[in-house]
Amino acid sequence: MTTTPTPTRKDAARNRSLLLAAAEDLFRDAGLDVTLKDVARHAGVGVGTVYRHFPTKDDLVAALFAQQLEAEIERARKSVEAGDSWEALVDYLKESMRLQSSNRGLRALMCPAGSVFDSVRECKAVVNPLIDQLVKSAHAQGTLRPDCTSRDIALLQVGLVGIMDATPEDPNAYRRHLALFLDGVRV
Amino acid sequence: MTTTPTPTRKDAARNRSLLLAAAEDLFRDAGLDVTLKDVARHAGVGVGTVYRHFPTKDDLVAALFAQQLEAEIERARKSVEAGDSWEALVDYLKESMRLQSSNRGLRALMCPAGSVFDSVRECKAVVNPLIDQLVKSAHAQGTLRPDCTSRDIALLQVGLVGIMDATPEDPNAYRRHLALFLDGVRV
DNA sequence: GCAGAAACGGAACGGTCGGTCCACATCAGG
DNA sequence: CCTGATGTGGACCGACCGTTCCGTTTCTGC
């Protein structure tokens, strides 16, 4: 898990961008199992070039999703700062799940199996307390069932990801489940 | 997907049993990704012997889970025949999910990805109409939210499987989500 | 435009998987 | 027993993956 410096040479910088763009496309649509040979071909470069820029596949994945993980943290923070607790919790869930539904790679990353990545573990370590806070606020406000814990919310997210993975033909199928669940835990 | 006849010779019959037992153990605990070499070693035989009894890995899987799929159908049928519609639906879900939670291989088989198996597709083709019926009955009885469809129930199951896969350290974690969801769709 | 550093591309490596093959062991009927 | 049919085991095959290596190409500072 090495941090790769941005290259100085013009062609190298260009290829790095091409690689990240190709990886983003492929990982988004086909998940993290995509071959690095595919990424290289899609970017119009050789495999060797991939490994020059990213020592391992994990490094490529980490570099690619670093920004999205940051966004996930930011999203949770924004929701915590919002006023209405129920709406804040729901908005966070909707937005977080919407992004995961449109990105198969991100989904694989956020699942427990993806915790082999330091960056993912760090992200969760930051986000989880924020969700705790969202849940506590909603409890205090009396808009969330008192026995609904932040672990319940975490498992809800896991379940929704399972639904997304199972319904690639209907990327919005998960919304139905989310809505029904929320109906059950409100007030 | 060939049907393998039960062998006549004594040693062959014994090895077949050993293989099925080993496969059951390994698939239950570690999922369908277990290597056939592992199955062979666990059974104390060579790989060649595996392929004599089961021409492909899929044949082994199909032979192993045929009985469990039958049981799944029987479970659904029983629930349809039961009187109380809400209880029937809930009992079916609880029992079906309990079995899947205790068997990682069965879980992989019942997920959409497992539908490459004819036997699984057949099982679903039989079970789905039965679930339709359970849902319809509950609607008629007025114990299930009118807008909760059998597809919602199917997605609930998919979500629960996702939770099970994500919480191997707590095989009962899914029950919490099931309970909360059911609270939301009752009456 | 030249020289050397930097980057490139893709053949090749080591590992794993499902599956095949065949010399050898084992069983069952006469 | 003994003999032929049946079953066995594990070396081996081909495909695929992440990764390495190195001869060749491309860039950059002078």
Side-chain angles (χ1 to χ4, degrees), chain B residues 2-142:
Chain B
T2 317
T3 49
T4 319
T6 309
T8 56
R9 257 174 66 164
K10 206 198 315 180
D11 55 345
R14 191 185 58 99
N15 281 339
R16 191 175 200 275
S17 298
L18 286 174
L19 279 170
L20 283 171
E24 181 158 7
D25 276 3
L26 294 175
F27 286 155
R28 170 163 30 80
D29 296 341
L32 300 184
D33 286 342
V34 169
T35 304
L36 285 200
K37 210 166 281 182
D38 275 342
V39 175
R41 190 155 41 80
H42 198 267
V45 304
V47 247
T49 302
V50 182
Y51 284 96
R52 168 163 321 280
H53 291 283
F54 308 98
T56 72
K57 186 179 185 178
D58 285 356
D59 290 312
L60 172 58
V61 171
L64 191 57
F65 288 103
Q67 159 191 350
Q68 305 225 27
L69 293 180
E70 278 302 322
E72 173 72 13
I73 292 177
E74 209 42 50
R75 207 152 40 241
R77 223 190 290 275
K78 277 263 166 56
S79 293
V80 167
E81 290 166 4
D84 187 319
S85 300
W86 173 260
E87 287 298 329
L89 179 59
V90 170
D91 281 354
Y92 164 71
L93 282 173
K94 279 188 180 169
E95 185 61 14
S96 171
M97 291 298 102
R98 193 183 61 78
L99 259 134
Q100 294 206 32
S101 93
S102 66
N103 194 324
R104 197 169 151 190
L106 182 62
R107 235 143 62 208
L109 206 63
M110 297 301 289
C111 268
S115 288
V116 286
F117 294 95
D118 290 341
S119 51
V120 173
R121 274 201 306 276
E122 288 167 20
C123 175
K124 286 183 179 172
V126 176
V127 169
N128 282 339
L130 291 172
I131 297 179
D132 274 358
Q133 216 166 320
L134 281 172
V135 168
K136 273 203 180 70
S137 294
H139 280 155
Q141 207 195 31

Side-chain angles (χ1 to χ4, degrees), chain A residues 111-112 145 147-149 151-152 155-156 158-160 162-167 169-170 173-174 176-177 179-181 183-185, chain B residues 111-112 145 147-149 151-152 155-156 158-160 162-167 169-170 173-174 176-177 179-181 183-185:
Chain A
C111 268
R145 250 175 77 155
D147 67 335
C148 182
T149 68
R151 174 161 170 82
D152 292 329
L155 290 185
L156 164 65
V158 170
L160 289 171
I163 291 176
M164 294 171 197
D165 286 337
T167 58
E169 80 288 350
D170 179 6
Y174 77 95
R176 181 79 186 137
H177 187 83
L180 287 174
F181 185 93
D183 276 359
V185 296
Chain B
C111 268
R145 247 174 80 154
D147 68 334
C148 182
T149 67
R151 173 159 171 84
D152 292 330
L155 289 186
L156 164 64
V158 170
L160 289 171
I163 291 176
M164 294 173 196
D165 286 336
T167 57
E169 80 289 350
D170 179 6
Y174 76 94
R176 180 78 187 138
H177 187 83
L180 287 175
F181 184 93
D183 276 359
V185 296

Side-chain angles (χ1 to χ4, degrees), chain A residues 3-186:
Chain A
T3 49
T4 319
T6 307
T8 57
R9 255 173 68 163
K10 206 197 315 180
D11 56 344
R14 191 184 58 99
N15 282 338
R16 191 175 200 275
S17 299
L18 286 174
L19 279 170
L20 283 171
E24 180 160 5
D25 275 2
L26 293 175
F27 286 156
R28 169 163 30 81
D29 296 342
L32 300 183
D33 287 342
V34 168
T35 305
L36 285 200
K37 210 167 282 183
D38 275 343
V39 174
R41 191 156 40 82
H42 199 267
V45 305
V47 249
T49 302
V50 182
Y51 283 95
R52 168 163 325 276
H53 291 282
F54 308 98
T56 72
K57 186 178 184 176
D58 285 356
D59 291 313
L60 171 57
V61 171
L64 191 55
F65 289 103
Q67 161 191 347
Q68 304 226 25
L69 292 180
E70 278 302 320
E72 173 72 13
I73 292 176
E74 209 40 51
R75 207 150 40 239
R77 223 188 291 273
K78 277 266 166 57
S79 294
V80 167
E81 290 166 3
D84 187 319
S85 300
W86 173 260
E87 288 297 329
L89 179 59
V90 170
D91 281 354
Y92 164 71
L93 283 173
K94 279 187 180 170
E95 186 60 14
S96 170
M97 291 298 102
R98 193 182 62 77
L99 258 132
Q100 293 207 32
S101 92
S102 66
N103 195 325
R104 198 169 150 190
L106 182 62
R107 237 143 62 208
L109 206 65
M110 296 302 289
C111 268
S115 288
V116 287
F117 294 93
D118 290 341
S119 51
V120 173
R121 274 201 306 277
E122 287 167 21
C123 174
K124 287 183 178 173
V126 176
V127 168
N128 282 339
L130 292 172
I131 297 181
D132 274 358
Q133 217 168 318
L134 281 173
V135 168
K136 274 203 179 69
S137 295
H139 279 156
Q141 206 195 32
T143 45
L144 178 67
R145 250 175 77 155
D147 67 335
C148 182
T149 68
S150 62
R151 174 161 170 82
D152 292 329
I153 299 300
L155 290 185
L156 164 65
Q157 289 181 292
V158 170
L160 289 171
V161 167
I163 291 176
M164 294 171 197
D165 286 337
T167 58
E169 80 288 350
D170 179 6
N172 294 327
Y174 77 95
R175 293 190 191 176
R176 181 79 186 137
H177 187 83
L178 175 56
L180 287 174
F181 185 93
L182 288 178
D183 276 359
V185 296
R186 181 169 198 173

